[in-house]
Amino acid sequence: MLALAILFPAPAMAQDYRVETVATGLEKPWSIAFLPDGRMLVTEHPGRLRVIENGRLVDEPVAGVPPVFNSGQAGLFEVLPAQDFADSGVLYLSFAHGTDDANHTRIVRAVFDGRSLSEVEPVFTTTPAKSGDAHAGGRMLWMPDGTLLLSLGDGFFFREEPQKLDSHMGSIVRINADGSVPQDNPFVGRDGALPEIYSYGHRHVQGLVLVDGQLYAHEHGPRGGDEINLIRPGRNYGWPVITYGRDYSRALISPFTEREGMEQPLWQWTPSIAPAGLAFYDAGLFPQWRGSLLVAALAEESLRRVELVDGVPGRQEVLLAELGQRMRDVRVGPDGAVYLVTDEDAGRLLRLVPAGAGEG
């Protein structure tokens, strides 16, 4: 079922929430992670990993982060604690690796001692190499069975790649925690197909979240056609054969918005909001938000709350438009508050709490 974004979402009333600043002076922060002991981690796009401890930003970045290809959209992406982090201290990082002429999206795992990384080991690197610094993907998500998902983009100039099963570009891949291939992946054993591919036909997936065991993703369209999709293994999500967007020149990319064998989005935004981070709200601090997807939006400079009704996006609400800043990531904290980072050279880590809550 496709819901067209032609409704006018109502801005949230300012009194519904209060915005607190947790940290300032972050350079292009990209992702947020929570550790079991209450510390937080934030990646900075140029290649730094930062620690928030006792409510303040630690001055020195974490040592031992591998070099990243930092240019345009390429850089350090996500930090993700291992599922057994409390015992192992293992973190996973995704980032652009290589040069402008030949780069890949890579995942490494490393041991974190609170101030530095050691035993840094690559576990996955995309193929083939691409040129340029656009659409590298980079979001990661643990599945309930302990496998790891990574979202990837089409490299912008290589839009034919997402329809090829011998290329990771424009796909979501699924690997084991050690980088090996799960034997129940949909294309294992198929000639000419990369076995890590879980779904394909994506343009630039920038959000992954599980809701009641169902995998949701959002991805950037070109000029219009940003999508929310329900991800099924082995399915083709159509880019660039089907799309609701147009090229940046306003030229038609494809005359088709649907085709047999290709999945329809649950929702599409035209004009684009440029969805970045994605979370699901099921905590108690904002009971009126429970059951909603939270979408950090770059172009719209907002946080979108998207109600799910029987698993399908419904009514939407625009939050944080009053700040006028690009939102890169959104997470629901252990305390039930909503945390975001702003995509700015002097970015901030923000915390949303109900307007009537005590200062925290």
Side-chain angles (χ1 to χ4, degrees), residues 115-180:
R115 292 294 181 266
S116 64
L117 300 180
S118 63
E119 301 177 44
V120 179
E121 176 189 7
V123 295
F124 176 75
T125 303
T126 58
T127 189
K130 70 173 186 65
S131 60
D133 58 10
H135 290 196
R139 290 291 176 192
M140 296 186 289
L141 179 72
W142 291 113
M143 296 290 276
D145 62 1
T147 58
L148 177 62
L149 299 181
L150 170 68
S151 75
L152 297 164
D154 67 352
F156 189 80
F157 297 108
F158 309 96
R159 63 173 56 154
E160 70 280 359
E161 294 295 304
Q163 291 299 315
K164 298 178 180 179
L165 290 174
D166 62 354
S167 172
H168 289 127
M169 284 194 277
S171 73
I172 295 172
V173 300
R174 175 175 175 252
I175 58 175
N176 292 316
D178 63 0
S180 62

Side-chain angles (χ1 to χ4, degrees), residues 74-337:
L76 179 60
F77 301 132
E78 187 123 60
V79 57
L80 182 68
Q83 291 178 304
D84 66 349
F85 177 85
D87 297 319
S88 69
V90 169
L91 296 176
Y92 288 74
L93 295 172
S94 62
F95 58 95
H97 166 75
T99 66
D100 187 66
D101 291 331
N103 59 82
H104 313 257
T105 302
R106 170 171 283 186
I107 297 175
V108 299
R109 53 171 285 158
V111 176
F112 177 55
D113 66 5
R115 292 294 181 266
S116 64
L117 300 180
S118 63
E119 301 177 44
V120 179
E121 176 189 7
V123 295
F124 176 75
T125 303
T126 58
T127 189
K130 70 173 186 65
S131 60
D133 58 10
H135 290 196
R139 290 291 176 192
M140 296 186 289
L141 179 72
W142 291 113
M143 296 290 276
D145 62 1
T147 58
L148 177 62
L149 299 181
L150 170 68
S151 75
L152 297 164
D154 67 352
F156 189 80
F157 297 108
F158 309 96
R159 63 173 56 154
E160 70 280 359
E161 294 295 304
Q163 291 299 315
K164 298 178 180 179
L165 290 174
D166 62 354
S167 172
H168 289 127
M169 284 194 277
S171 73
I172 295 172
V173 300
R174 175 175 175 252
I175 58 175
N176 292 316
D178 63 0
S180 62
V181 177
Q183 289 306 296
D184 61 346
N185 267 3
F187 299 108
V188 167
R190 178 166 166 175
D191 288 344
L194 293 170
E196 299 90 356
I197 292 176
Y198 190 71
S199 64
Y200 66 109
H202 300 288
R203 184 173 182 268
H204 193 208
V205 176
Q206 287 287 278
L208 295 169
V209 73
L210 284 167
V211 179
D212 297 328
Q214 301 294 311
L215 177 63
Y216 290 83
H218 63 47
E219 64 184 82
H220 288 211
R223 184 183 288 274
D226 298 344
E227 297 178 357
I228 297 176
N229 287 295
L230 181 64
I231 303 299
R232 304 290 194 192
R235 302 290 178 89
N236 181 351
Y237 288 81
W239 175 258
V241 178
I242 60 173
T243 178
Y244 287 85
R246 286 179 172 263
D247 218 334
Y248 294 102
S249 66
R250 302 186 187 273
L252 197 65
I253 293 169
S254 170
F256 306 109
T257 56
E258 55 185 273
R259 178 172 282 193
E260 185 177 357
M262 296 181 177
E263 301 299 304
Q264 281 289 293
L266 297 178
W267 187 275
Q268 67 97 1
W269 286 286
T270 298
S272 293
I273 67 168
L278 179 64
F280 179 68
Y281 196 85
D282 196 29
L285 203 60
F286 291 97
Q288 71 276 26
W289 293 0
R290 295 191 70 175
S292 298
L293 296 174
L294 300 177
V295 179
L298 296 165
E300 190 179 61
E301 299 182 339
S302 73
L303 174 66
R304 281 261 180 159
R305 185 176 70 85
V306 181
E307 295 179 359
L308 287 181
V309 181
D310 297 327
V312 177
R315 192 177 78 92
Q316 301 189 18
E317 186 176 30
V318 175
L319 313 172
L320 299 180
E322 69 275 10
L323 299 184
Q325 292 193 312
R326 291 160 54 90
M327 300 295 162
R328 172 60 71 178
D329 196 18
V330 57
R331 305 285 170 153
V332 180
D335 57 358

